[in-house]
Amino acid sequence: MPVQAHAEEFRSPGTGENAAVGVLLSHGFTGSPRSMRPFGEHLAAAGYGVAVPRLPGHGTSWQEMNRTTWQEWYAVLDNELERLRKEHDQVFVVGLSMGGCLTLRLAEEHGTDISGLVLVNPSVQTDDKRLALLPVLARVLPSFPGISNDIKKPGVEEGAYDRMPLRALLSLSHLWKVTRADLAKITQPVLLFRSTVDHVVEPSSGRTILSSISSRDVTETLLEDSYHVATLDNDAPRIFTDSAAFVGRLSGRDDA
């Protein structure tokens, strides 16, 4: 199936001394690399090696996404991490929303192969009681109206699907469960950004992560001027700058 024009992957091998460090960035549920490309470009401009892959079923159609599972989304990131580990001395992972959950899972599975995590409005659960019916609904309904483009900044488009694929959402709920169960395995440094107004992911996800991980180097930054897709919103420059500084500090290299 053709990939939408805005959904192309982005990669940069890195330049100068900072090329010894690689950064893997993951977009969110029903989104595409579009939401992470400016972030990746900022890190690439600082010389870091960067990979912003497209997860299966994303950037094409919600119908195709309904035929994919969290294990397939994870496998793409897992393979990309393996490649980055071969090409760079250190690797950091960055995730938005569901991408945050997937990168947490990577950190649970790969331990010290990952030097640090940057999480932007990560999701590991929902407070929406209606999702208790999801196993039944997913058998009879293909989709619901989507929740996308939650961006405060005028005129900015995320390019996510306008429908919520229910079978894919059911698979996401399984990812949430397995990731929550292993959060104590997280020992890497964590930088977590959370929007104070988020119409997609409730604050409980961030609270669960921070109260369950074993990391000692943890920073939570509240974003006062952005909604859910903060990587494209008013606080994006702060996210990019603080994240580059985080990577620079932990790798012993200059930040952006």
Side-chain angles (χ1 to χ4, degrees):
M1 181 169 288
V3 177
Q4 297 171 5
H6 64 262
E8 298 93 346
E9 300 181 327
F10 173 75
R11 289 180 179 81
S12 176
T15 57
E17 293 185 359
N18 284 353
V21 177
V23 185
L24 173 60
L25 298 94
S26 176
H27 64 77
F29 188 76
T30 78
S32 76
R34 179 176 183 172
S35 64
M36 301 300 276
R37 187 180 182 101
F39 201 165
E41 290 175 342
H42 181 93
L43 294 169
Y48 297 114
V50 170
V52 187
R54 181 180 62 86
L55 304 181
H58 293 76
T60 53
S61 72
W62 67 263
Q63 292 92 340
E64 183 188 23
M65 188 176 172
N66 245 347
R67 297 190 288 271
T68 65
T69 65
W70 79 260
Q71 289 91 343
E72 293 172 83
W73 313 330
Y74 179 84
V76 166
L77 297 179
D78 197 41
N79 290 336
E80 201 74 50
L81 175 63
E82 182 179 3
R83 181 185 67 80
L84 289 170
R85 285 287 299 145
K86 292 176 180 177
E87 297 176 357
H88 306 276
D89 296 337
Q90 288 180 272
V91 178
F92 293 79
V93 293
V94 180
L96 167 68
S97 193
M98 176 190 76
C101 190
L102 287 166
T103 54
L104 284 164
R105 189 61 183 162
L106 283 174
E108 292 168 355
E109 294 282 288
H110 291 280
T112 56
D113 283 349
I114 293 172
S115 295
L117 295 85
V118 177
L119 308 172
V120 183
N121 292 322
S123 71
V124 294
Q125 63 190 55
T126 182
D127 300 335
D128 190 339
K129 303 303 182 185
R130 294 174 297 177
L131 264 68
L133 300 174
L134 190 56
V136 174
L137 291 174
R139 294 193 185 102
V140 296
L141 290 175
S143 68
F144 274 166
I147 304 174
S148 63
N149 220 56
D150 189 32
I151 300 172
K152 185 177 182 180
K153 188 176 183 179
V156 179
E157 294 290 330
E158 176 191 7
Y161 299 145
D162 60 1
R163 301 292 300 181
M164 180 73 70
L166 293 189
R167 284 188 289 277
L169 182 59
L170 179 60
S171 187
L172 172 58
S173 71
H174 297 156
L175 169 64
W176 286 338
K177 184 177 181 179
V178 298
T179 302
R180 287 197 309 272
D182 285 341
L183 281 173
K185 293 181 179 179
I186 303 289
T187 59
Q188 302 91 335
V190 172
L191 175 60
L192 189 151
F193 295 96
R194 182 170 64 81
S195 298
T196 56
V197 178
D198 186 332
H199 304 98
V200 179
V201 173
E202 301 97 339
S204 61
S205 274
R207 288 196 297 266
T208 294
I209 293 167
L210 294 176
S211 65
S212 302
I213 60 177
S214 301
S215 308
R216 294 189 176 184
D217 185 343
V218 179
T219 301
E220 181 184 27
T221 298
L222 298 182
L223 306 175
E224 304 283 351
D225 199 25
S226 297
Y227 296 157
H228 181 64
V229 191
T231 53
L232 296 178
D233 216 327
N234 294 310
D235 291 302
R238 180 182 184 184
I239 295 171
F240 302 168
T241 300
D242 288 1
S243 297
F246 175 78
V247 172
R249 172 174 66 85
L250 293 171
S251 63
R253 300 175 188 278
D254 293 335
D255 58 35

